[in-house]
Amino acid sequence: MYERKIPITLDCGLDLIGEVLYGKWKIRMLYFIAEGCVRPSELQRKIPDASRRVLTMQLKQLEEHELVTKTIYPQIPLKVEYSLTEFGKSLLPVITMLGQWGDEHQERLRNVIEKQYTTTQMMSDQMV
Amino acid sequence: MYERKIPITLDCGLDLIGEVLYGKWKIRMLYFIAEGCVRPSELQRKIPDASRRVLTMQLKQLEEHELVTKTIYPQIPLKVEYSLTEFGKSLLPVITMLGQWGDEHQERLRNVIEKQYTTTQMMSDQMV
DNA sequence: CTGTATCCTGGAGGATACTG
DNA sequence: CAGTATCCTCCAGGATACAG
């Protein structure tokens, strides 16, 4: 029907990127680090819904995946900064595209998401 | 440091697209449907790791989010086909880009992922 | 300030068996 | 063939308290 416009290897590419981007806050963190929020406390402020523990964990994973670099300044109080590696920067266009699509279809998205939400609501209301 | 190259609204765009793409198999399903695997059984075959139940659930969500359309042919045995809406098709470039990035960095990705995996292994080995 | 150790919970997703 | 109903597991992520 769509005549295989997409080369098959993509399938595996999706796996791999999924591996690296998996984690509730990772994309956001990359995004904010790119924006200049390079210290954990800044990120924490930007993403208040995330717990400190998870924030740290996912930063560590990003580091293991070589998307960010961690720099420790041995001061009191401690100062830590994260920055994107070249590898990490190569991901920015992808993230930008994700965000742009969401942005461009903002209204429609809000509609369909809201609609689905209220449907769920109705169902749980009926449960009572 | 990176001087805010990315417009701030992206942040919300990321939320919205996340909402719609959230689900272990959704991106894959969209991808395969675009490729011409339009029947549930075909998708099931392409994604054998997914359970029938979840496959159906996520298809239903994609439908609610207006990314796919469901067509039922009242035959025995039943025949069902899914196809991308225009809205859904607008997502293809994004998916393609995701997959391409993963594809292009395939080797490096395999390395860092593998490395992290073995690290985890070592740790759980030490646990013993 | 940054990071770790514990404990706990929600809910996504799997297995299985069933209906139409 | 397509979909649903139950039941169950597992772990990502939150809360909290503490340490360097």
Side-chain angles (χ1 to χ4, degrees):
Chain A
M1 191 181 226
Y2 294 103
E3 310 266 305
R4 215 176 237 298
K5 293 175 209 156
I6 309 176
I8 188 60
T9 47
L10 262 194
D11 185 22
C12 118
L14 285 176
D15 272 334
L16 292 169
I17 196 175
E19 202 71 38
V20 148
L21 249 36
Y22 185 66
K24 197 171 185 179
W25 311 106
K26 283 195 191 160
I27 298 187
R28 250 185 197 59
M29 297 180 101
L30 292 172
Y31 167 71
F32 282 127
I33 291 175
E35 261 196 335
C37 305
V38 295
R39 303 189 54 180
S41 50
E42 292 175 313
L43 288 168
Q44 181 78 74
R45 232 174 297 123
K46 285 284 186 180
I47 317 176
D49 284 349
S51 69
R52 178 36 99 336
R53 179 179 146 275
V54 174
L55 229 49
T56 310
M57 286 181 55
Q58 304 201 348
L59 277 170
K60 185 181 291 176
Q61 288 171 23
L62 289 177
E63 198 191 351
E64 286 169 346
H65 289 157
E66 300 181 9
L67 295 173
V68 304
T69 305
K70 180 179 183 175
T71 312
I72 305 177
Y73 300 88
Q75 315 171 344
I76 305 289
L78 219 53
K79 181 179 174 185
V80 172
E81 286 188 356
Y82 290 89
S83 62
L84 298 185
T85 61
E86 286 307 314
F87 192 33
K89 286 182 192 168
S90 77
L91 207 45
L92 285 181
V94 182
I95 294 178
T96 306
M97 192 168 187
L98 283 169
Q100 264 172 2
W101 187 88
D103 238 35
E104 281 164 18
H105 302 85
Q106 197 166 339
E107 292 168 57
R108 179 161 194 177
L109 284 167
R110 289 193 197 285
N111 280 338
V112 295
I113 292 168
E114 171 66 17
K115 186 177 65 182
Q116 187 215 21
Y117 178 72
T118 52
T119 305
T120 315
Q121 271 313 103
M122 284 167 53
M123 285 172 56
S124 37
D125 285 354
Q126 286 179 4
M127 300 286 189
V128 187
Chain B
M1 190 181 228
Y2 294 103
E3 308 270 306
R4 218 178 235 296
K5 297 175 207 153
I6 307 175
I8 187 61
T9 48
L10 263 195
D11 185 22
C12 119
L14 286 175
D15 272 335
L16 292 169
I17 196 174
E19 201 70 39
V20 147
L21 251 36
Y22 185 65
K24 197 172 185 179
W25 312 106
K26 282 194 191 161
I27 298 187
R28 248 183 201 61
M29 297 180 100
L30 291 172
Y31 167 70
F32 282 126
I33 292 175
E35 260 197 333
C37 306
V38 294
R39 302 189 55 181
S41 49
E42 292 176 312
L43 288 169
Q44 180 77 73
R45 231 174 298 124
K46 284 284 187 182
I47 317 177
D49 285 349
S51 69
R52 187 28 154 281
R53 178 178 148 274
V54 173
L55 230 48
T56 310
M57 286 181 55
Q58 304 200 349
L59 277 169
K60 185 180 291 177
Q61 288 170 24
L62 289 177
E63 199 190 350
E64 287 170 345
H65 289 159
E66 300 181 9
L67 294 173
V68 304
T69 305
K70 180 179 184 177
T71 312
I72 305 177
Y73 300 87
Q75 316 171 342
I76 305 291
L78 219 55
K79 181 179 174 184
V80 173
E81 286 188 356
Y82 290 88
S83 63
L84 297 185
T85 62
E86 286 307 313
F87 192 32
K89 287 181 192 169
S90 77
L91 207 44
L92 285 182
V94 182
I95 294 177
T96 305
M97 191 167 189
L98 284 169
Q100 264 173 3
W101 187 89
D103 238 34
E104 282 164 19
H105 301 84
Q106 197 166 337
E107 294 167 56
R108 178 161 196 177
L109 283 168
R110 289 192 198 286
N111 281 336
V112 294
I113 291 168
E114 172 65 18
K115 186 178 63 182
Q116 186 214 21
Y117 178 72
T118 53
T119 304
T120 316
Q121 272 313 105
M122 284 167 54
M123 285 171 59
S124 37
D125 286 354
Q126 286 181 2
M127 300 284 188
V128 186

